[in-house]
Amino acid sequence: MANPVDAARIRMSSVRSLMVAPLVPDSALHASLLFAVGQSQHTAEPPPELSADMMDSVSAMLTNQDTPHLIPLVQEAVRAGQQSLERNPGLTISAKRYAEIRSEFIAKHAILSSKGKQIWPVGATTILKRAGGSWNAALRAAGFSTSKQQTPQGFGSARFTPEQFSNAIRTFKSDAARGNFSTKLQHYVEWRKHLVKQGRTDIPSGPSIRNFYGSWSAALSSTNAEGPAEQD
């Protein structure tokens, strides 16, 4: 007869293994950024070869999301992005522009998301979380310039920095916890309006935050501040 304690341990181990989602490799995150700046680039010169790790990780994710036919197209764009980065050390891209390019690509190729499946190109929120909430840190990790350095035409930085978006959400959630009010989008709008009347100019609007993170709930979950996350 099996030991109940051992059986319980086996069940818990199985549950934990199911709950832990596989991490997206760093190479796939970096490739997503390179793709965003390279997908519109055209050059007569042969682009550089990608590392085997990057090629394998991107190919695996594209295959897993049932789009293996996009592998040649994606690899060409990522290589073009790498070439552009080597030519222009000041190359950068804002989180907002990245999210726009990703959304256009996903819509164009009818890529469907499902529970437990990681979609490539990865979302801006995933990139931010891996970099501790700093878009500049994510850019530096992938070899890009940051928003404080040169910004080429076509990839302009947003009015607010990623840090300002993050700080606004964190402060709002902290104030909501102290003031005992919910973190609904409408309450954020009212909270921001009060601060703007006091002269604050560093607080992004509610729609700007929702566009930056993809949704209001994603914005709320992107910070470590206390408070329940609510859908808009």
Side-chain angles (χ1 to χ4, degrees):
M1 182 180 294
N3 187 315
V5 175
D6 292 338
R9 287 174 178 171
I10 292 173
R11 286 196 298 271
M12 288 300 297
S13 177
S14 299
V15 170
R16 283 195 294 268
S17 65
L18 291 173
M19 291 175 61
V20 178
L23 288 175
V24 177
D26 286 341
S27 57
L29 267 69
H30 298 168
S32 296
L33 291 166
L34 291 172
F35 169 82
V37 299
Q39 50 89 35
S40 62
Q41 302 296 319
H42 303 283
T43 176
E45 299 180 16
E49 292 297 326
L50 303 174
S51 69
D53 178 50
M54 181 174 289
M55 292 179 64
D56 290 346
S57 63
V58 172
S59 296
M61 292 190 70
L62 288 172
T63 300
N64 187 53
Q65 67 191 36
D66 301 321
T67 56
H69 59 285
L70 295 178
I71 291 176
L73 173 68
V74 165
Q75 288 187 351
E76 180 181 359
V78 175
R79 291 171 65 192
Q82 181 64 50
Q83 185 178 57
S84 297
L85 185 60
E86 293 176 357
R87 287 178 171 179
N88 182 5
L91 185 65
T92 192
I93 183 171
S94 70
K96 182 176 184 294
R97 180 59 182 143
Y98 172 82
E100 291 172 348
I101 292 174
R102 177 179 183 266
S103 295
E104 291 168 1
F105 177 79
I106 289 175
K108 179 180 179 180
H109 297 285
I111 298 174
L112 302 176
S113 61
S114 62
K115 188 175 182 180
K117 180 187 292 186
Q118 294 284 1
I119 294 299
W120 194 96
V122 300
T125 300
T126 298
I127 295 176
L128 278 165
K129 287 182 177 180
R130 184 66 62 85
S134 170
W135 187 254
N136 279 347
L139 291 175
R140 286 192 293 269
F144 284 81
S145 173
T146 63
S147 61
K148 293 181 179 179
Q149 296 171 296
Q150 179 184 355
T151 303
Q153 186 177 5
F155 295 102
S157 59
R159 175 186 173 188
F160 298 99
T161 66
E163 289 80 4
Q164 286 175 317
F165 280 105
S166 180
N167 288 339
I169 288 294
R170 186 177 294 109
T171 304
F172 167 67
K173 292 180 70 175
S174 177
D175 286 355
R178 286 198 299 266
N180 196 30
F181 58 89
S182 75
T183 54
K184 290 182 178 180
L185 175 59
Q186 183 57 40
H187 288 168
Y188 175 86
V189 172
E190 296 170 357
W191 173 83
R192 176 183 180 270
K193 185 183 300 184
H194 176 71
L195 293 178
V196 169
K197 287 182 179 180
Q198 294 179 345
R200 294 285 296 273
T201 60
D202 60 333
I203 309 296
S205 69
S208 293
I209 286 183
R210 189 165 55 184
N211 290 338
F212 181 82
Y213 288 102
S215 70
W216 182 246
S217 59
L220 293 174
S221 64
S222 69
T223 69
N224 294 324
E226 296 295 330
E230 300 184 26
Q231 301 290 339
D232 45 350

